[in-house]
Amino acid sequence: MKLSDFDFDLPEDLIAVRPARPRSSARMLVAQGARITDAHVTDLVEWLRPGDRLVLNDTRVIPARLSGVRRRHGGDGPTEARIEATLLEPRADGSWAALLKPLKKVRDGEDIVFSADLSATVTGRDEGAAHLRFNLAGEDFDAALAQAGAMPLPPYIAARRPADAQDLEDYQTIWAARRGAVAAPTASLHFDAALMAALAARGIAFSHVTLHVGAGTFLPVKVDDVTQHRMHAEWGEVTEAAAREIMETRAAGGRIVAVGTTALRLIETAATGPRQIAAWQGETDIFIRPGFSFRIADGLMTNFHLPKSTLMMLVSAFLGTAEIRSVYAHAIAARYRFFSYGDASLLWPEG
């Protein structure tokens, strides 16, 4: 299995930099094995049956991108450097792992001053990331970060425009509850109150799970033999209630549809056997690629992913490599919008 097996040519003008409005008006490609239908997210109601269950990731994206100043007093007088910080994840000792640009402009022990009375001391570094200990904690930290931070847009959007106030709403799901992600579970961004009400009226059930999406989701695969790739671990939880709801839906003949690859990876991590799942909490580095045996999910709603990414491998595993190639060729020809703010696909494997 080579990295090139998951490559394709994507016209740059198909990369979405803003979401559809309203959210549920986005287009949705439905693939039933090799059979493709063009639809819209609002049509999701028609593609599900009463008694089906959607599994939703309730992680909340933090405004993890910060701009600050490092001030230094030396023999040549005071100097300062502008530092851009992107928070990656909290560490066990209460500090944060963060990417600093430029990292070489900051020494361990120095402070970076942000806005909203927020500052941080660089306490160490490893593997290209710095360790930041902030001057605030708890609710005070959350409030200052909300004021000082910007949404950590994916690189392919950030390269085209800066994050702005609209992204604080656009890059967050309507059910976001548990803060900790630095990237959104983007398939979920297509849901709005009107769609949720229509699904509920149809008899569709919902279960919430949590997977805090990390910046590792954007890391490129650097090995040609993809079996040698190692995934970045992310924290997740399937509660006893969610596991019970999924099992009850299974017992009643309903289908389990994961909304997003994050929800899919989590429930497959928590699987205890074919069509069996139990409560689970911890870090998962599950790597789903062709040959993987799915035990929980019957369907997957997801956006269109980057070439040569682990998510391309995941959808290839779920629907079939040849089928995904056809799906993406159709999506490009029909000018679907790609990536985080783009259109959706609904994948139903045959059999």
Side-chain angles (χ1 to χ4, degrees):
M1 216 180 317
K2 300 297 184 184
L3 188 57
S4 58
D5 295 337
F6 305 95
D7 196 11
F8 61 91
D9 293 323
L10 179 69
E12 282 202 14
D13 65 338
L14 296 186
I15 300 174
V17 296
R18 295 284 185 185
R21 302 192 192 284
R23 294 177 178 223
S24 57
S25 68
R27 297 170 72 192
M28 183 174 72
L29 184 156
V30 182
Q32 298 165 288
R35 190 162 78 252
I36 293 173
T37 304
D38 294 310
H40 288 84
V41 173
T42 50
D43 301 321
L44 181 61
V45 175
E46 306 303 323
W47 290 96
L48 298 175
R49 301 192 293 249
D52 287 347
R53 181 173 297 276
L54 296 180
V55 180
L56 313 173
N57 186 359
D58 66 3
T59 188
R60 186 171 189 84
V61 184
I62 62 172
R65 192 150 290 157
L66 293 162
S67 180
V69 173
R70 184 274 295 145
R71 295 188 175 93
R72 181 181 297 166
H73 297 275
D76 297 328
T79 61
E80 63 179 41
R82 175 65 58 180
I83 304 296
E84 302 295 327
T86 301
L87 304 186
L88 299 178
E89 58 189 3
R91 303 178 70 244
D93 65 0
S95 66
W96 281 78
L99 295 177
L100 299 184
K101 292 184 179 180
L103 181 58
K104 63 183 180 181
K105 292 284 188 180
V106 184
R107 301 169 186 158
D108 291 358
E110 291 187 320
D111 293 336
I112 305 172
V113 179
F114 306 103
S115 58
D117 296 324
L118 187 66
S119 65
T121 302
V122 180
T123 59
R125 64 193 73 198
D126 61 62
E127 297 182 353
H131 304 159
L132 300 182
R133 184 169 298 281
F134 286 91
N135 63 320
L136 301 175
E139 293 182 0
D140 291 336
F141 173 76
D142 293 345
L145 187 64
Q147 185 175 342
M151 279 303 199
L153 294 182
Y156 43 79
I157 296 177
R160 288 167 172 78
R161 67 167 181 84
D164 56 29
Q166 187 61 49
D167 292 303
L168 293 173
E169 176 182 342
D170 289 344
Y171 202 58
Q172 198 78 270
T173 68
I174 62 171
W175 54 72
R178 304 179 69 179
R179 85 182 248 291
V182 297
T186 55
S188 299
L189 298 180
H190 295 295
F191 288 74
D192 51 27
L195 178 59
M196 294 296 284
L199 289 166
R202 172 77 165 158
I204 310 304
F206 312 102
S207 288
H208 291 92
V209 297
T210 306
L211 185 71
H212 290 324
V213 193
T217 191
F218 302 120
L219 292 177
V221 178
K222 296 181 178 180
V223 292
D224 188 47
D225 178 358
V226 301
T227 64
Q228 301 303 306
H229 177 70
R230 293 294 174 262
M231 295 287 286
H232 181 78
E234 296 166 315
W235 186 92
E237 181 179 27
V238 176
T239 63
E240 290 187 7
R244 182 177 64 252
E245 290 163 357
I246 291 171
M247 292 297 294
E248 289 173 350
T249 293
R250 280 274 188 220
R255 298 174 298 180
I256 303 301
V257 180
V259 176
T261 57
T262 59
L264 177 69
R265 291 178 65 239
L266 183 59
I267 61 176
E268 293 297 334
T269 296
T272 57
R275 298 177 175 268
Q276 300 290 318
I277 190 171
W280 183 90
Q281 182 187 104
E283 290 199 335
T284 177
D285 60 358
I286 188 172
F287 182 13
I288 297 177
R289 56 185 188 270
F292 184 86
S293 179
F294 291 89
R295 299 187 285 182
I296 303 298
D298 299 297
L300 170 64
M301 183 176 175
T302 186
N303 284 18
F304 294 97
H305 303 295
L306 276 72
K308 298 194 289 188
S309 65
T310 58
L311 298 183
M312 275 299 294
M313 299 170 202
L314 182 152
V315 294
S316 296
F318 191 75
L319 193 69
T321 301
E323 289 81 359
I324 280 295
R325 284 193 175 279
S326 296
V327 163
Y328 275 64
H330 179 96
I332 291 168
R335 298 195 60 77
Y336 278 75
R337 300 164 74 241
F338 273 63
F339 305 160
S340 294
Y341 276 155
D343 295 318
S345 64
L346 180 61
L347 308 180
W348 297 108
E350 288 187 329

